[in-house]
Amino acid sequence: LLIDEPYGERWRLLEGVCPKGLLAERIVTGDEAEAEAFLMRAMEEGHEGLMAKRLDGRYTPGVRGKGWFKIKPAETLDLVVIAAEWGYGRRTGWLSNYHLAARADGDYAMLGKTFKGLTDEEFRWMTQRLQGLKVSETKSTVYVKPEVVVEVAFNELQRSPHYRSGFALRFARITRIREDKGPEDADTLDRVRELYDEQFRHKAKVGL
């Protein structure tokens, strides 16, 4: 039984009994440049990214925990906030789940929602700013004039029938509020399509 052994020891034992061709390629390094080159090669081969693991980490079935980390490049888009939902829990009283949209033929096409990335101070600022832009409201959601632009990082674009844009952001998080930009400076739906197609430079489209 090896489940309580650290990762490094489990890998050493695995190498002793398993043909090398069946083992995932890996490196052990503390050199950032070497790790980045390994990531770029994995991407060129069509993988989504890398998995970094603690050498002394234990294996807990069904739980990745803080001993494993996914490493994937993140793209960004400048998107317009068209609505926001009232938060709950520690976000109670703040507008904190933002509806994000790209410019599309004189209108705005939604790509998803996120509450991730902002500080408490930024949540307060956004709540006050969006309340001043309110055009309508339901019990949970405030709809606003499309004036606030945010930079949004994400790991992947996916096809989605749920949004008029036809796309959805995967693991979206706001990296900054673009007070230097107006809605006319936001990215377009054409740019979203370009980024979606670029994802498949090294891997075939599936299910399309």
Side-chain angles (χ1 to χ4, degrees):
L1 183 64
L2 302 175
I3 195 168
D4 292 325
E5 295 294 328
Y7 167 70
E9 177 63 10
R10 286 184 281 112
W11 182 272
R12 185 187 70 79
L13 293 170
L14 189 63
E15 284 182 311
V17 298
C18 184
K20 186 175 181 180
L22 296 181
L23 296 174
E25 187 176 355
R26 73 166 195 162
I27 60 171
V28 178
T29 183
D31 186 302
E32 183 177 344
E34 185 180 9
E36 185 172 358
F38 190 52
L39 171 63
M40 292 301 102
R41 182 154 60 85
M43 298 291 293
E44 289 292 327
E45 292 175 358
H47 302 291
E48 291 187 0
L50 300 177
M51 181 68 77
K53 299 184 179 183
R54 289 178 58 107
L55 291 175
D56 61 353
R58 265 57 178 179
Y59 178 68
T60 305
V63 180
R64 188 166 69 238
K66 294 184 178 180
W68 298 7
F69 288 99
K70 289 182 179 180
I71 302 175
K72 297 173 62 176
E75 293 282 359
T76 63
L77 286 166
D78 289 328
L79 301 174
V80 178
V81 177
I82 58 173
E85 299 170 12
W86 291 107
Y88 54 89
R90 68 174 301 275
R91 293 181 287 113
T92 298
W94 294 335
L95 288 170
S96 56
N97 199 19
Y98 307 108
H99 297 205
L100 308 167
R103 290 189 292 127
D105 300 322
D107 199 0
Y108 296 92
M110 189 169 167
L111 298 168
K113 309 175 186 179
T114 192
F115 60 84
K116 296 180 179 179
L118 297 187
T119 65
D120 289 357
E121 183 179 348
E122 288 170 325
F123 278 135
R124 294 187 188 98
W125 185 91
M126 286 285 278
T127 299
Q128 183 177 9
R129 180 79 172 98
L130 295 176
Q131 282 282 67
L133 297 172
K134 180 170 64 175
V135 294
S136 64
E137 185 174 10
T138 65
K139 184 177 180 180
S140 62
T141 306
V142 173
Y143 297 89
V144 301
K145 296 177 184 177
E147 293 189 13
V148 175
V149 178
V150 291
E151 181 182 77
V152 180
F154 58 94
N155 291 111
E156 190 176 52
L157 278 164
Q158 299 176 325
R159 287 285 188 182
S160 173
H162 301 297
Y163 299 122
R164 186 171 65 83
S165 67
F167 297 96
L169 302 171
R170 189 165 183 253
F171 300 128
R173 60 203 178 280
I174 296 173
T175 53
R176 57 174 166 158
I177 302 169
R178 296 303 305 261
E179 294 186 69
D180 59 323
K181 289 192 172 185
E184 68 280 0
D185 301 313
D187 281 303
T188 65
L189 189 54
D190 286 340
R191 175 59 179 153
V192 173
R193 294 189 184 103
E194 288 175 6
L195 289 176
Y196 177 78
D197 288 337
E198 285 176 12
Q199 292 177 165
F200 299 98
R201 284 184 301 163
H202 306 295
K203 58 184 180 181
K205 294 186 179 180
V206 178
L208 296 179

